[in-house]
Amino acid sequence: MLKIGVSASFLHPGEPRQIFPGMTLQYIEQNVAHWLMQREALALMVPSPDGSTRRKQSAVTVADYARELDGLVLMGGSDVCPASYGEAPLSPAWNGDRVRDDYEIALMRAFVAKGKPVLGICRGAQVINVAFGGTLYQDIPTQRPDALRHRLQAIYEKNCHATAIVAGSGLAQLYPGKSLVKTNSVHHQAVKDLGPELTVEAWSEPDRIVEALRWSGRSYVFGVQWHPEFHPPGDASFIDDTPLLDDFLATATRHRSAAFAL
């Protein structure tokens, strides 16, 4: 059975909550785990080995996780910090989480170094772009006032729009005959300048915000701006996300089989 790592979200000290005040919490959202587990993949949260102030430095590194696991999912969550792509925040509300950025970029690079597949979801797609030298819109309504409303907090995952798949792309091969699909949309940040060696495989319509991107390098690094784990199962009006999952897991299986054959 495949072992798929899922990057952690953080609740930092000082953030309002009733449990473990003053402590850093790391967690994953259960829909991501369940989306992976529908294909009998073990979903395992990858805790950050950095940041402890109460114990000595961890003897474990992100490279150890990349060696032991078969693939990585960078899940959604907090904003990416503008400093991670060389900008100052346009508003204090968009400071993001630099600690999580550094952890996820290091984690992604460790899996890439091992040739193991990386799938980015929402924030995860943005992290991929930043890791490869791209930038983001810090806030779509502010910087792209002509764009669709990509996040409506009151309805959250029920917010949706049309997404155009780029002809001839890897994504198009997973969806033959489909050029326009429906996806959810729960983000207010998005790709602005595309990172070198990345290609766009889907756009929102009609405002052309990047919805899917892929690395052109030696291993599988792919990201989607929507949340496949949030799409209601059986609702044929949305894109069927199982081809995405199966392609990611098949890549992990091939790499694992090749490694065992050595």
Side-chain angles (χ1 to χ4, degrees):
M1 189 174 290
L2 290 172
K3 296 177 290 184
I4 303 300
V6 180
S7 65
S9 286
F10 292 74
L11 277 175
H12 296 288
E15 296 182 75
R17 60 179 186 269
Q18 295 298 313
I19 60 171
F20 300 112
M23 306 295 180
T24 297
L25 306 186
Q26 299 182 28
Y27 65 95
I28 62 172
E29 199 280 322
Q30 71 172 0
N31 284 304
V32 175
H34 289 177
W35 185 63
L36 293 166
M37 290 158 64
Q38 69 179 301
R39 287 295 190 260
E40 297 186 349
L42 292 175
L44 304 167
M45 189 188 86
V46 181
S48 171
D50 299 322
S52 176
T53 58
R54 296 176 180 269
R55 298 183 182 276
K56 63 182 180 180
Q57 185 64 34
S58 172
V60 175
T61 69
V62 291
D64 295 318
Y65 281 100
R67 183 181 63 251
E68 297 297 328
L69 300 176
D70 300 304
L72 173 67
V73 172
L74 300 171
M75 74 170 200
S78 57
D79 287 353
V80 176
C81 178
S84 294
Y85 47 93
E87 294 185 7
L90 298 177
S91 164
W94 308 327
N95 281 335
D97 190 341
R98 184 66 185 271
V99 172
R100 183 176 172 188
D101 298 348
D102 291 344
Y103 147 74
E104 287 190 313
I105 290 171
L107 190 59
M108 188 206 79
R109 287 174 175 164
F111 275 79
V112 168
K114 293 291 185 183
K116 297 182 178 181
V118 176
L119 174 64
I121 295 174
C122 195
R123 171 194 159 90
Q126 298 166 14
V127 168
I128 289 171
N129 187 54
V130 169
F132 283 102
T135 66
L136 303 178
Y137 292 115
Q138 295 184 32
D139 182 64
I140 296 171
T142 299
Q143 295 176 277
R144 282 286 308 273
D146 61 310
L148 299 169
R149 292 296 299 274
H150 284 261
R151 181 167 71 181
L152 289 172
Q153 194 67 31
I155 59 174
Y156 202 59
E157 82 281 2
K158 295 180 177 62
N159 189 45
C160 59
H161 57 62
T163 294
I165 298 174
V166 174
S169 66
L171 188 62
Q173 293 176 30
L174 298 180
Y175 296 94
K178 290 187 178 294
S179 59
L180 198 66
V181 296
K182 176 183 171 184
T183 62
N184 60 35
S185 186
V186 298
H187 60 104
H188 81 103
Q189 297 192 320
V191 171
K192 182 173 65 174
D193 301 307
L194 191 68
E197 300 184 9
L198 295 175
T199 57
V200 176
E201 297 206 349
W203 305 91
S204 59
E205 287 291 349
D207 58 353
R208 290 180 68 82
I209 295 289
V210 174
E211 287 288 324
L213 50 78
R214 190 183 301 271
W215 184 41
S216 58
R218 64 187 182 278
S219 65
Y220 179 112
V221 181
F222 180 67
V224 293
Q225 188 59 70
W226 65 87
H227 284 261
E229 76 278 15
F230 288 168
H231 282 156
D235 187 339
S237 70
F238 286 95
I239 187 174
D240 177 6
D241 296 294
T242 53
L244 284 177
L245 176 61
D246 291 341
D247 185 53
F248 169 65
L249 295 178
T251 304
T253 298
R254 286 194 299 271
H255 186 277
R256 186 179 188 182
S257 297
F260 283 156
L262 294 177

